[in-house]
């Protein structure tokens, strides 16, 4: 029996959020039980203690929920290895790899691929160019194919389609899975399906009983259709792999990839004013609250980092930020990869708005506030001093890179 404590951050968040419609459903009486795969499951909210005033307290720092102490154990315990010696078939996945790493969307897709691969099939992940990822094995990848070469770098969808076609010829995957995202997967998947002459299933959120269900009609309707060969799936289409380890064996193409006609010329990324990016689409948000005492310094820090500015409702109500910058239940629900909260306490209405953010960094004077509990990285201190230090650190970093380049 394994002693791994598994966490479901989304469920934990719902259970903490008293306003969420599923909150009551996530308050089970059972404290621990055996999961279907023989792993002992524990309800983190069953773990609590009675405070000095007779009130039940739950430590939300994560320490009691498989956080600090238990996480060390999770690292040491080896997950069971799933080995596919002679794959009966392949399920190919083309992750977006934004920033060179698997995103949560990519991991959901790999979870879906594992479902489709069963025990005999192998999940083949295809990565273009260099990457910084070292968790392919625990994300469910049996075979890893890396397509290197300058022809694939930058915006090169036509050349990438040629790469996918070469993979298709050699491995003949039963299904192709791509993220239906704006980070490249949505466009590449559609182009590739057209090149194959296949009708892709798009915006898929569920695959069940040989059928896939996707969003249609401006997201208001579901469209069910037989399982397609090319599937473009949305985030949360499946649970990411968490209970097994895979080989992630490197494989190679036996033939060279044909060169496509260069009908597209990549002129490089266009500099965009971060302030002009809609909050809901911003990848990097620098948000200020009531704890910001020097707003000029806050704007300076946001500009130095190249981040989109956001704010708590108090900062907006006090007139320091425009209403369209408000993050939260009555503002914008954001999905940034990095969300920095400066002097924001983490009221439930604010936390609702950042629930989908990947990494949260909190700068706050109060180590016990809810934003610190939610954050992946916390800096305890006075905001003005920390913002000044941040601006200096960014300037020093830029000076160094400029010196190295010269
Ligand atoms: C119906 C309703 C809807 C709402 N919708 C939203 C919403 O969409 N978005 C939203 O944000 N709020 C919303 N609110 C308001 C919400 O409840 C909180 O009041 C608000 O989020 C608090 O903002 P804050 O964290 O900036 O301020 P505070 O709660 O005052 O917190 C300030 C924080 O800054 C820290 N701090 C103070 N001084 C410093 C310093 N010098 N350096 C560093 N840290 C410091 C403090 O420790 C504290 O944690 C809503 C409320 C209601 C009732």
């Amino acid at each position: 029996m394994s002693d791994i404590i598994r966490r479901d951050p989304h469920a934990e968040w719902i259970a903490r959020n008293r306003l969420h419609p599923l909150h009551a459903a996530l308050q089970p009486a059972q404290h621990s039980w055996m999961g279907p795969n023989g792993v002992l499951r524990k309800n983190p909210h069953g773990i609590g203690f009675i405070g000095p005033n007779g009130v039940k307290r739950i430590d939300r720092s994560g320490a009691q929920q498989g956080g600090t102490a238990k996480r060390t154990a999770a690292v040491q315990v080896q997950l069971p290895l799933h080995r596919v010696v002679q794959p009966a078939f392949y399920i190919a996945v083309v992750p977006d790899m934004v920033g060179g790493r698997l995103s949560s969307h990519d991991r959901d897709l790999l979870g879906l691929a594992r479902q489709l691969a069963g025990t005999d099939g192998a999940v083949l992940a295809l990565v273009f160019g260099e990457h910084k990822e070292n968790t392919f094995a625990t994300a469910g990848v049996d075979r890893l194919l890396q397509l290197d070469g300058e022809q694939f770098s930058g915006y090169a969808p036509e050349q990438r389609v040629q790469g996918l076609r070469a993979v298709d010829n050699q491995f003949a995957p039963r299904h192709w899975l791509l993220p239906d995202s704006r980070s490249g997967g949505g466009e590449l998947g559609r182009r590739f399906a057209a090149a194959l002459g296949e009708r892709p299933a798009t915006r898929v959120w569920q695959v069940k009983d040989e059928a896939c269900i996707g969003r249609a009609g401006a997201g208001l309707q579901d469209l069910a259709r037989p399982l397609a060969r090319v599937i473009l799936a949305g985030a949360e289409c499946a649970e990411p792999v968490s209970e097994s380890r895979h080989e992630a064996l490197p494989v190679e193409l036996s033939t060279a990839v044909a060169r496509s006609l260069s009908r597209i010329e990549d002129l490089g990324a266009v500099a965009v004013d971060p302030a002009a990016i809609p909050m809901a689409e911003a990848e990097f948000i620098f948000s200020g609250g009531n704890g910001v005492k020097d707003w000029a310094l806050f704007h300076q820090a946001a500009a130095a980092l190249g981040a989109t500015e956001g704010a708590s409702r108090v900062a907006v109500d006090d007139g320091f930020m425009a209403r369209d910058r408000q993050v939260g239940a009555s503002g914008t629900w954001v999905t940034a990869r990095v969300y920095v909260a400066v002097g924001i306490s983490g009221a439930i209405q604010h936390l609702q708005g950042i629930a989908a953010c990947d990494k949260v960094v909190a700068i706050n004077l109060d180590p016990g506030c809810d934003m610190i509990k939610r954050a992946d990285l916390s800096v305890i201190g006075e905001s003005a001093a920390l913002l000044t230090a941040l601006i200096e650190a960014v300037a020093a970093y830029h000076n160094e890179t400029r010196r190295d380049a010269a």
Side-chain angles (χ1 to χ4, degrees):
M1 188 183 72
S2 164
D3 65 345
I4 300 168
I5 308 292
R6 301 199 181 276
R7 295 185 67 184
D8 178 348
H10 188 60
E12 284 174 16
W13 170 73
I14 294 174
R16 279 204 304 272
N17 179 355
R18 279 164 289 128
L19 299 182
H20 197 283
L22 296 178
H23 175 73
L26 285 179
Q27 306 297 315
Q30 247 181 327
H31 290 175
S32 69
W33 64 97
M34 189 64 73
N37 300 321
V39 178
L40 183 70
R41 300 288 188 173
K42 287 190 179 173
N43 167 23
H45 296 278
I47 308 165
F49 58 93
I50 305 297
N53 302 325
V55 178
K56 185 171 182 190
R57 302 275 177 194
I58 295 172
D59 177 2
R60 288 192 259 168
S61 66
Q64 294 186 343
Q65 303 164 17
T68 43
K70 298 290 183 186
R71 201 173 291 159
T72 328
V75 171
Q76 284 159 3
V77 173
Q78 286 278 50
L79 292 167
L81 178 67
H82 176 89
R83 190 174 264 150
V84 191
V85 183
Q86 279 292 336
F89 59 91
Y90 288 96
I91 304 291
V93 178
V94 190
D96 273 340
M97 303 292 296
V98 177
R101 293 200 167 82
L102 288 171
S103 64
S104 56
H105 192 166
D106 292 336
R107 288 175 191 276
D108 295 344
L109 215 66
L110 287 165
L112 179 58
R114 277 254 56 86
Q115 279 178 27
L116 294 170
T119 47
D120 300 335
V123 173
L124 169 69
L126 198 85
V127 177
F128 291 102
E130 292 297 310
H131 65 80
K132 303 172 191 155
E133 187 57 69
N134 53 13
T135 61
F136 283 114
T138 46
V141 176
D142 299 305
R143 302 287 186 272
L144 182 64
L145 177 61
Q146 201 171 340
L147 283 179
D148 284 323
E150 47 79 35
Q151 73 268 34
F152 297 115
S153 63
Y155 179 67
E158 295 184 320
Q159 189 56 49
R160 288 184 177 207
V161 166
Q162 292 292 355
L164 299 190
R165 293 197 73 164
V167 176
D168 196 56
N169 288 339
Q170 184 171 328
F171 294 90
R174 185 177 281 183
H175 294 287
W176 278 94
L177 306 188
L178 291 98
D180 203 347
S181 66
R182 294 187 201 170
S183 310
E187 181 190 352
L188 184 63
R190 285 166 177 82
R191 281 178 181 269
F192 178 52
L196 289 182
E198 297 273 353
R199 185 179 159 225
T202 57
R203 300 169 74 192
V204 170
W205 62 271
Q206 193 177 47
V207 173
K208 211 166 97 184
D209 304 331
E210 290 298 305
C212 38
I213 305 171
R215 288 265 182 265
L220 298 175
Q221 288 168 345
D222 280 342
L223 187 69
R225 50 173 294 199
L227 201 51
R229 180 149 185 259
V230 180
I231 299 171
L232 310 186
E236 299 185 8
C237 55
E239 284 291 322
V241 171
S242 63
E243 304 205 338
S244 51
R245 208 160 34 98
H246 299 258
E247 293 176 291
L249 283 179
V251 288
E252 284 180 4
L253 275 181
S254 50
T255 53
V257 177
R259 285 266 180 174
S260 69
L261 291 173
S262 49
R263 288 172 293 194
I264 296 174
E265 190 187 352
D266 183 3
L267 297 179
V270 178
V272 178
D273 177 7
I277 301 174
M279 294 291 291
E281 290 176 19
E283 291 274 289
F284 180 18
I285 298 178
F286 197 71
S287 216
N290 205 14
V292 173
K293 303 300 172 198
D294 184 340
W295 282 93
L297 204 58
F298 172 83
H299 297 308
Q300 210 183 324
L305 291 167
T308 302
E309 290 186 0
S312 75
R313 179 154 147 181
V314 170
V316 171
D317 286 349
D318 288 351
F320 293 115
M321 294 287 279
R323 180 65 62 193
D324 67 353
R325 294 287 125 189
Q326 184 184 319
V327 174
S330 54
T332 306
W333 295 54
V334 295
T335 57
R337 283 170 69 78
V338 178
Y339 185 85
V340 184
V342 186
I344 300 180
S345 58
I348 191 80
Q349 297 89 354
H350 194 90
L351 292 183
Q352 278 179 323
I354 63 168
C357 290
D358 222 359
K359 295 276 180 268
V360 174
V361 181
I363 295 179
N364 206 299
L365 269 182
D366 176 8
C369 74
D370 281 343
M371 185 58 85
I372 299 281
K373 289 169 188 162
R374 165 67 174 84
D376 301 275
L377 176 71
S378 308
V379 188
I380 311 297
E382 209 280 320
S383 61
L386 288 169
L387 291 177
T388 310
L390 191 59
I391 294 166
E392 282 169 7
V394 174
Y397 172 79
H398 285 316
N399 286 341
E400 206 172 296
T401 38
R402 238 175 272 135
R403 237 197 338 266
D404 288 350

